[in-house]
């Protein structure tokens, strides 16, 4: 019977689900990585929360005694077209990606019950610090600048210094994939870029687990590590439109969660594209999106003058309100950033 050890594991967590979100992504294993795994008799296995790399117990010496630097690069391809709507992330770009590298964070590993836990980002959740310009072998470098100084980011080793003609990245970087610093000498602009295989060009993010001779990325440090990527859910402004079939406008709309009143704006009269009249209220602060909202349901009480009974009498119409639909999140550019909001229509009020 063959016994396997967990060489390392990668777990992905999303605050929107309060857990794993494996239905939203695929892990991309390149041909180069498949060859690497085969050479060291390692096994890749997807899990409900990410993936792990297994090593045959009797073959672990193959990799533990290796004198060459080994880098495992995986891509994360997002399958959910609405992923950005509910994820606190920068918009997807073809020339930039989220990069998660253990050599930046391995030293901060937390050891608990013999499990080494390593967050692959500096804060509790992924942020812009993990976002980097991205190059593949086919990219023309003159799009970046005509005179470049290129260094390996970690060692500061210069790999190129001079004028760029029509060189593609493969002519300078070859197959030395990883993190580099580019200095555009015409402007002194500095760019930290990540260079990776063409197979990873259409991914959202790249994970690179390095196994090298340095203290922080040695075999003993990597063996048994659990690498974590945690994504926060997006906060959006909730906007409710109370649509009236009789062109009624409500002067007072209060929203509650249980007995707690929620912080929403005063009602505004709005004429919708179809000509209907609506009373609009918007949350004064953005609210975090959740797959399943906990606590009491959200509702409103609409107060109207009665058309029957004593003059001046009124009645309250209590309505349970839906929460935002992630397929209907919108974004508008504002000074200093982007405002995300959700429009929710309550008809026939």
């Amino acid at each position: 019977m063959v016994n396997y050890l967990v060489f390392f594991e990668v777990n992905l967590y999303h605050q929107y689900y309060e857990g794993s979100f494996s239905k939203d992504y695929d892990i991309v294993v390149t041909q180069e990585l498949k060859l690497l795994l085969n050479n060291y008799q390692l096994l890749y296995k997807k899990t409900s929360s990410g993936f792990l790399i297994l090593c045959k117990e009797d073959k672990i010496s193959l990799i533990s005694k290796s004198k060459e630097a080994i880098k495992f690069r995986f891509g994360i391809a997002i399958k959910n077209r609405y992923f950005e709507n509910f994820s606190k992330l920068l918009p997807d770009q073809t020339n930039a990606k989220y990069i998660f590298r253990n050599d930046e964070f391995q030293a901060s590993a937390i050891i608990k019950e013999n499990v080494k836990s390593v967050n692959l980002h500096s804060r509790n959740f992924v942020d812009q610090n993990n976002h980097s310009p991205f190059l593949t072998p086919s990219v023309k470098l003159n799009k970046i600048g005509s005179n470049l100084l290129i260094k390996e980011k970690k060692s500061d080793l210069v790999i190129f210094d001079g004028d760029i003609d029509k060189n593609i990245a493969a002519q300078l970087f070859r197959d030395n994939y990883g993190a580099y610093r580019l200095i555009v000498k015409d402007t002194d602009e500095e760019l930290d870029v990540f260079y990776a295989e063409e197979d990873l060009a259409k991914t959202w993010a790249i994970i690179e687990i390095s196994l090298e001779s340095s203290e922080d990325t040695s075999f003993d440090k990597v063996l048994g590590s659990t690498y974590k990527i945690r994504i926060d859910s997006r906060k959006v402004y909730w906007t409710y439109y109370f649509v009236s079939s009789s062109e009624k406008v409500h002067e007072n709309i209060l929203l509650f969660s249980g007995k707690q009143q929620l912080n929403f704006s005063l009602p505004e009269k709005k004429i919708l594209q179809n000509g209907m009249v609506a009373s609009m209220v918007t949350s004064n602060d953005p609210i975090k999106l959740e797959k399943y909202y906990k606590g009491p349901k959200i509702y409103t009480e609409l107060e109207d003058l009665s058309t029957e009974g004593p003059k001046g009498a009124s009645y309250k119409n209590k309505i349970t309100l839906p929460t935002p639909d992630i397929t209907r999140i919108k974004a508008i550019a504002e000074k200093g950033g982007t405002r995300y909001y959700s429009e929710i229509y309550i008809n026939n009020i």
Side-chain angles (χ1 to χ4, degrees):
M1 180 178 176
V2 179
N3 291 323
Y4 284 91
L5 297 173
V6 176
F7 184 32
F8 64 82
E9 183 173 359
V10 176
N11 288 339
L12 287 80
Y13 170 94
H14 203 304
Q15 184 67 20
Y16 175 76
Y17 297 100
E18 291 193 330
S20 62
F21 58 109
S22 57
K23 291 183 179 180
D24 284 343
Y25 65 83
D26 281 326
I27 301 299
V28 178
V29 180
T30 67
Q31 291 300 317
E32 181 170 309
L33 179 55
K34 288 178 182 177
L35 180 61
L36 175 64
L37 296 175
N38 185 60
N39 287 343
Y40 288 101
Q41 298 191 38
L42 301 171
L43 180 67
Y44 162 85
K45 183 179 180 180
K46 189 172 182 180
T47 66
S48 60
S49 58
F51 64 91
L52 48 81
I53 299 298
L54 299 168
C55 181
K56 292 180 181 178
E57 194 170 18
D58 61 346
K59 299 293 183 181
I60 199 166
S61 61
L62 287 176
I63 194 164
S64 65
K65 295 180 180 179
S66 175
K67 294 182 180 180
E68 64 176 347
I70 302 171
K71 295 186 178 183
F72 302 87
R73 271 181 306 281
F74 306 84
I76 305 175
I78 299 300
K79 298 191 295 183
N80 187 336
R81 62 184 293 191
Y82 301 109
F83 191 68
E84 285 181 22
N85 285 10
F86 59 87
S87 305
K88 189 179 178 182
L89 298 168
L90 296 172
D92 191 24
Q93 303 172 44
T94 57
N95 61 348
K97 297 190 185 301
Y98 281 92
I99 309 295
F100 304 104
R101 299 164 46 220
N102 73 315
D103 61 358
E104 292 186 321
F105 301 104
Q106 191 80 45
S108 60
I110 298 172
I111 302 175
K112 186 177 181 180
E113 297 178 356
N114 295 323
V115 175
K116 286 173 281 189
S117 178
V118 185
N119 267 14
L120 293 179
H121 35 83
S122 57
R123 297 179 181 173
N124 195 33
F125 293 104
V126 173
D127 63 17
Q128 66 272 14
N129 292 320
N130 284 92
H131 205 245
S132 173
F134 173 75
L135 301 175
T136 60
S138 62
V139 171
K140 293 182 179 180
L141 293 175
N142 59 7
K143 292 183 177 180
I144 299 173
S146 59
N147 193 357
L148 297 180
L149 172 63
I150 304 175
K151 300 179 180 181
E152 287 185 358
K153 185 176 179 181
K154 188 172 183 180
S155 67
D156 223 25
L157 177 68
V158 174
I159 70 162
F160 181 82
D161 184 1
D163 293 326
I164 296 294
D165 187 15
K166 295 181 180 179
N167 301 77
I168 58 174
Q171 293 173 297
L172 300 184
F173 297 97
R174 301 187 183 278
D175 59 354
N176 298 314
Y177 302 111
Y180 292 86
R181 177 156 293 166
L182 274 61
I183 301 172
V184 183
K185 296 172 73 174
D186 298 330
T187 62
D188 289 330
E189 179 185 9
E190 293 190 11
L191 294 173
D192 286 335
V193 303
F194 195 84
Y195 173 64
E197 300 93 322
E198 209 75 47
D199 306 30
L200 301 175
K202 294 183 178 181
T203 59
W204 161 74
I206 295 172
I207 302 165
E208 184 182 77
I209 306 301
S210 296
L211 184 66
E212 300 177 282
S213 58
S214 69
E215 181 181 351
D216 290 335
T217 55
S218 65
F219 171 81
D220 291 335
K221 282 290 184 71
V222 174
L223 179 65
S225 290
T226 297
Y227 299 104
K228 296 183 178 181
I229 298 171
R230 295 169 52 84
I231 300 172
D232 201 1
S233 60
R234 188 177 295 288
K235 288 184 177 181
V236 305
Y237 290 89
W238 295 17
T239 297
Y240 286 98
Y241 291 90
F242 296 91
V243 185
S244 172
S245 55
S246 60
E247 298 190 357
K248 182 190 303 176
V249 177
H250 296 276
E251 295 183 1
N252 190 29
I253 300 176
L254 301 179
L255 278 70
F256 299 87
S257 176
K259 294 182 179 181
Q260 179 184 359
Q261 183 176 333
L262 301 177
N263 186 17
F264 273 70
S265 67
L266 295 173
E268 293 182 49
K269 179 180 178 180
K270 293 290 181 180
I271 307 299
L272 305 180
Q273 289 184 345
N274 62 4
M276 298 288 285
V277 175
S279 303
M280 182 195 80
V281 294
T282 299
S283 62
N284 289 320
D285 298 300
I287 302 172
K288 184 168 289 190
L289 296 171
E290 299 176 24
K291 176 70 174 177
Y292 304 105
Y293 288 91
K294 300 176 289 296
K297 291 184 178 180
I298 297 173
Y299 69 93
T300 185
E301 289 183 344
L302 302 179
E303 188 170 355
D304 294 288
L305 293 178
S306 176
T307 56
E308 300 177 2
K311 187 176 180 181
S314 66
Y315 71 93
K316 290 183 178 180
N317 183 14
K318 184 175 180 179
I319 302 171
T320 300
L321 300 175
T323 53
D325 178 351
I326 61 166
T327 67
R328 298 175 65 88
I329 305 298
K330 298 181 179 180
I332 54 174
E334 288 187 333
K335 185 177 181 180
T338 304
R339 178 187 178 100
Y340 291 86
Y341 64 99
S342 173
E343 293 181 325
I344 309 164
Y345 292 83
I346 311 300
N347 294 307
N348 301 320
I349 299 304

